[in-house]
Amino acid sequence: MKQGFAPVISNTEVMPGVYLIWLEFPQIATEAQPGQFVMVRCGQETLLRRPLSIHQLAEATKLAFLFTVVGKGTHWLSQRQAGDNIDLLGPLGRGFSIHPASRNLLLVAGGIGIAPLCFLAQEALKQGCSVRLLLGAPTASQLYPKHLLPADAKLITTTEDGTAGRKGIVTDLLPDFASWADQIFACGPTSMYRAMAEQKLLRAKSPQISLEIRMGCGRGVCYGCTVKTKSGLKQVCTDGPVFDLADIIWDELSYF
């Protein structure tokens, strides 16, 4: 884990209200694993850092975050320009695990859930795996731009209003692709995870999911991100953010 100031390389609005920011921080980039996150200090007026999934790496020195503007902190971050310095702490948490024997990986992203899965796709392709990415959003303008994804990942899209890809929600696609996959990885809203948990065909695949939840410290000190699992209470910041889908007690997750 490293802490320091990272210079901004670029900061671009890639979808309405969604920004892709690139920074230079080799100390984090060389240690980071897919699924891990970084605590970002968003200005002097915000007391707590913001947890952001590592979205992509480049040249072993650069890392990117994908984030939605939802409050004062992320608004501040969206206004940063090339050359500005941002205080980072990371990498943190337990990331995704690709089994050595896996060859076919299915990634399931609901909206901004593409954030940690892009880095996972990069790493999986580097290891020689085949990657299929199921990407869902409410409408076409909220689909992550294809040209920003790893070129060798096969993309299948769905939108709730039918303006792009298949009409419906992303979990509707799972019956068509689950049998192909050696492993399944997902990131999205709680409603998507609940829908996945109800699909019996996924149980033998033990999907790994990334929980996105409010965090205070990111280091297991404040216990603010505690969730109930079948193996007891867990902290998302240190025991996760990646968990097995079947291990979470979803009925106890009503607060987020």
Side-chain angles (χ1 to χ4, degrees):
M1 180 177 65
K2 301 293 189 298
Q3 180 178 351
F5 287 92
V8 175
I9 300 169
S10 64
N11 194 8
T12 308
E13 187 175 19
V14 294
M15 296 181 286
V18 178
Y19 287 77
L20 175 65
I21 186 168
W22 278 94
L23 305 105
E24 183 93 22
F25 202 133
Q27 296 91 333
I28 290 180
T30 53
E31 293 183 10
Q33 299 296 320
Q36 289 187 303
F37 64 96
V38 171
M39 296 297 285
V40 181
R41 186 172 297 283
C42 296
Q44 298 301 317
E45 297 181 6
T46 55
L47 178 62
L48 299 176
R49 294 174 181 264
R50 301 294 189 268
L52 294 179
S53 298
I54 299 170
H55 177 59
Q56 293 186 53
L57 295 184
E59 301 170 15
T61 62
K62 303 171 184 176
L63 67 160
F65 303 117
L66 185 71
F67 65 95
T68 303
V69 175
V70 293
K72 183 185 296 184
T74 46
H75 174 73
W76 178 90
L77 191 60
S78 73
Q79 301 303 302
R80 298 310 94 198
Q81 299 179 4
D84 290 343
N85 287 308
I86 298 178
D87 187 358
L88 306 182
L89 174 67
L92 298 165
R94 185 178 73 92
F96 296 109
S97 178
I98 301 174
H99 299 157
S102 293
R103 292 293 176 266
N104 299 326
L105 304 189
L106 182 64
L107 280 51
V108 186
I112 197 69
I114 188 62
L117 296 180
C118 195
F119 183 14
L120 176 62
Q122 281 184 319
E123 185 63 27
L125 291 165
K126 190 188 302 181
Q127 294 181 21
C129 297
S130 295
V131 174
R132 292 182 180 179
L133 172 61
L134 309 183
L135 177 60
T139 190
S141 64
Q142 294 175 291
L143 282 172
Y144 189 73
K146 182 178 180 180
H147 72 275
L148 296 176
L149 293 168
D152 292 333
K154 182 177 180 181
L155 177 65
I156 302 96
T157 60
T158 179
T159 51
E160 294 175 25
D161 62 3
T163 50
R166 187 185 302 184
K167 184 175 182 179
I169 58 178
V170 70
T171 50
D172 293 340
L173 299 174
L174 285 170
D176 295 335
F177 297 96
S179 60
W180 169 85
D182 296 318
Q183 282 186 272
I184 298 175
F185 305 87
C187 186
T190 304
S191 58
M192 185 182 93
Y193 295 146
R194 291 181 189 275
M196 290 178 64
E198 293 173 358
Q199 294 194 23
K200 294 182 179 179
L201 77 161
L202 299 184
R203 293 175 186 171
K205 302 290 183 177
S206 299
Q208 295 177 30
I209 62 163
S210 177
L211 278 182
E212 300 205 355
I213 191 170
R214 289 183 180 179
M215 295 181 188
C217 67
R219 291 178 286 176
V221 177
C222 70
Y223 292 90
C225 61
T226 303
V227 295
K228 289 185 178 181
T229 74
K230 293 176 182 177
S231 52
L233 295 176
K234 301 289 185 180
Q235 292 171 266
V236 174
C237 65
T238 53
D239 299 307
V242 174
F243 294 89
D244 288 343
L245 174 71
D247 195 36
I248 302 296
I249 302 176
W250 295 106
D251 291 341
E252 301 288 343
L253 222 58
S254 59
Y255 59 86
F256 93 101

